[in-house]
Amino acid sequence: MSDSRTPLSRVPLSRVPLRVREMTLADCPRVAEIRVRGWQSAYSGLMPQSYLDGLDVSAELPRRRAHFEQAGPGVVNLVAERAGEVVGWACHGPYRGGEPPAVDAGRGGGAGDAELYALYVDPGRTGRGVGRTLLRESVERCAAGHDRMLLWVLRENAGARRFYERAGFTADGAEEPYEVEGVEVPEVRYTRPLER
């Protein structure tokens, strides 16, 4: 009797199911690589190229490990895997702003706001649903205990802004200065109400 199923090795990678799970310490090397390569790809033309070229995975790795090991209460790191390879990373938790945004009194208040701290996809895997899947998982997890999710994105990063707008986020008018090697690259804040 023959097996009519296609072996996994011959299935196009885009058709292999994507699995989202909580990150482990063992994922830090791959997450460091995804973060560095993600910055170099997404911020090319938006930040000084000399800065991006100087980013180094081996220098990023101890920072990723420290952030992971010292994550505060409510901070969640997620990774997306496809065919056993980590292809994306997201991190969310309580809003970190110096002045927390006012909670809409009509929504019951008290739960506060969540923040998407980071969302990066392996640059060779963009446009394949990895970012959308990680964002959806972060939103769903935050909806259980928060009224809104906020995030910061570079003002000139039109692609990222479209991505978040398609996911229901809107710019709320807040802007933060951010400087890289003497070049201003301001960030704008996006927000989305969460449904429980």
Side-chain angles (χ1 to χ4, degrees):
M1 193 190 264
S2 70
D3 187 352
S4 63
R5 293 178 292 177
T6 304
L8 186 58
S9 63
R10 293 183 39 204
V11 173
L13 203 53
S14 61
R15 297 197 52 206
V16 174
L18 191 62
R19 176 178 166 240
V20 175
R21 62 172 172 78
E22 291 204 14
M23 182 178 157
T24 67
L25 189 60
D27 295 316
C28 286
R30 181 67 175 133
V31 167
E33 180 182 4
I34 288 170
R35 186 175 184 278
V36 166
R37 301 296 174 243
W39 269 62
Q40 290 171 329
S41 174
Y43 303 145
S44 180
L46 301 176
M47 291 185 177
Q49 194 60 45
S50 59
Y51 176 79
L52 296 173
D53 291 344
L55 295 176
D56 179 61
V57 175
S58 62
E60 177 64 18
L61 180 54
R63 285 191 288 271
R64 283 305 102 216
R65 284 187 177 130
H67 281 289
F68 180 77
E69 291 176 322
Q70 298 166 12
V75 174
V76 177
N77 284 275
L78 300 171
V79 292
E81 278 185 326
R82 184 166 271 151
E85 179 187 16
V86 172
V87 295
W89 164 66
C91 183
H92 67 262
Y95 182 69
R96 301 174 292 183
E99 292 293 324
V103 176
D104 182 353
R107 298 210 32 200
D113 293 320
E115 182 177 351
L116 180 67
Y117 307 139
L119 175 59
Y120 292 97
V121 174
D122 179 320
R125 303 288 167 54
T126 58
R128 299 178 188 172
V130 177
R132 283 188 308 273
T133 301
L134 281 166
L135 181 59
R136 183 172 41 249
E137 183 70 20
S138 285
V139 166
E140 287 174 6
R141 287 177 181 230
C142 288
H146 299 280
D147 295 317
R148 297 186 300 178
M149 178 177 259
L150 297 100
L151 60 89
W152 292 91
V153 62
L154 292 182
R155 183 177 64 198
E156 302 305 318
N157 191 343
R161 292 182 72 168
R162 278 191 306 273
F163 171 80
Y164 291 119
E165 288 164 2
R166 284 193 299 261
F169 287 83
T170 57
D172 70 0
E175 191 168 305
E176 282 285 322
Y178 188 67
E179 187 177 301
V180 177
E181 291 186 345
V183 175
E184 291 288 326
V185 284
E187 295 179 302
V188 293
R189 188 172 63 194
Y190 273 68
T191 183
R192 173 184 163 165
L194 300 175
E195 296 178 15
R196 293 184 191 187

